[in-house]
Amino acid sequence: AKGVVAMSQLLDRLLAKYKGRLPEAYITAIVGLAENDTNRRFLNDSDVHAALLIDCMIGESSETDDVCIYTGALKAECFTEALKSCKNNMRILADDYAAAKLVLDSVARDCASQNIEIRPVVDNDSHHFYTVGSKHFRYETDHGQASAIANFNEPETVKVLRDRFNKLWDASAQVELPLTE
């Protein structure tokens, strides 16, 4: 019964948050996939779709789920709320380190986690993605349109993406970080 109450609360919160911006049926379907850890790929194609998935994947993850994000600039409209509520260890790689650092710094005092590291990317990849724990991922197929595929339970793909992320992360350790105020 606790899971049903939690899903109901999550669904109610997200229906209110995205009212008028996303169809109710889409929100309900995504929350259902998330709650049931359904192994089914689905498409999403805008920043608001991305924000909904970030709420469901990162915002609702357990404290033991490591989060790896490879992003362009860590869009505030997509990530701010999840960054504030996330209690996980989080590693972020950003193409635009300065812009991403500004977003992270703007929420740092309100963050539930103090375990967030951010680094600039050495070799930009053409596809941004993130993984949450060992099962959840979102992988951008068209950055300009924010089009992506995602799944709440695809461990094989998460492993491939996590290995790719770790290689990018290790390479970024050699970069001297820019000074910021």
Side-chain angles (χ1 to χ4, degrees):
K2 183 179 179 184
V4 173
V5 171
M7 182 177 164
S8 176
Q9 290 173 345
L10 175 63
L11 182 58
D12 290 346
R13 182 175 65 79
L14 295 179
L15 285 170
K17 180 177 180 179
Y18 293 100
K19 183 178 181 142
R21 299 188 314 157
L22 287 172
E24 187 174 310
Y26 182 79
I27 298 166
T28 302
I30 294 299
V31 171
L33 292 171
E35 181 64 26
N36 295 311
D37 279 337
T38 303
N39 181 3
R40 181 156 111 215
R41 284 188 175 191
F42 55 93
L43 301 174
N44 60 85
D45 61 2
S46 69
D47 285 344
V48 71
H49 285 109
L52 174 66
L53 289 180
I54 290 165
D55 283 340
C56 288
M57 289 184 176
I58 297 173
E60 294 298 313
S61 60
S62 75
E63 290 182 26
T64 59
D65 288 334
D66 287 335
V67 176
C68 296
I69 301 169
Y70 172 42
T71 184
L74 202 64
K75 292 180 181 176
E77 63 272 19
C78 295
F79 284 98
T80 297
E81 191 173 315
L83 288 171
K84 286 181 181 180
S85 65
C86 187
K87 297 176 182 82
N88 315 53
N89 288 326
M90 185 180 297
R91 293 182 297 157
I92 302 168
L93 287 168
D95 293 333
D96 187 341
Y97 175 81
K101 185 85 167 93
L102 283 174
V103 171
L104 189 58
D105 289 348
S106 74
V107 298
R109 67 185 163 279
D110 299 323
C111 276
S113 174
Q114 297 305 311
N115 298 314
I116 299 176
E117 292 181 74
I118 184 169
R119 293 182 182 172
V121 173
V122 174
D123 296 314
N124 293 19
D125 195 304
S126 58
H127 301 282
H128 296 139
F129 61 90
Y130 64 80
T131 63
V132 180
S134 63
K135 296 192 273 184
H136 308 316
F137 77 90
R138 181 178 186 273
Y139 181 83
E140 262 186 1
T141 56
D142 182 341
H143 180 65
Q145 298 297 316
S147 298
I149 56 172
N151 195 325
F152 286 98
N153 190 357
E154 196 173 327
E156 303 83 17
T157 299
V158 170
K159 182 182 180 332
V160 169
L161 291 173
R162 184 68 59 102
D163 289 349
R164 186 167 168 192
F165 182 91
N166 286 334
K167 286 178 184 168
L168 292 168
W169 184 261
D170 291 345
S172 72
Q174 309 306 316
V175 175
E176 196 169 315
L177 296 180
L179 296 174
T180 58
E181 293 185 37

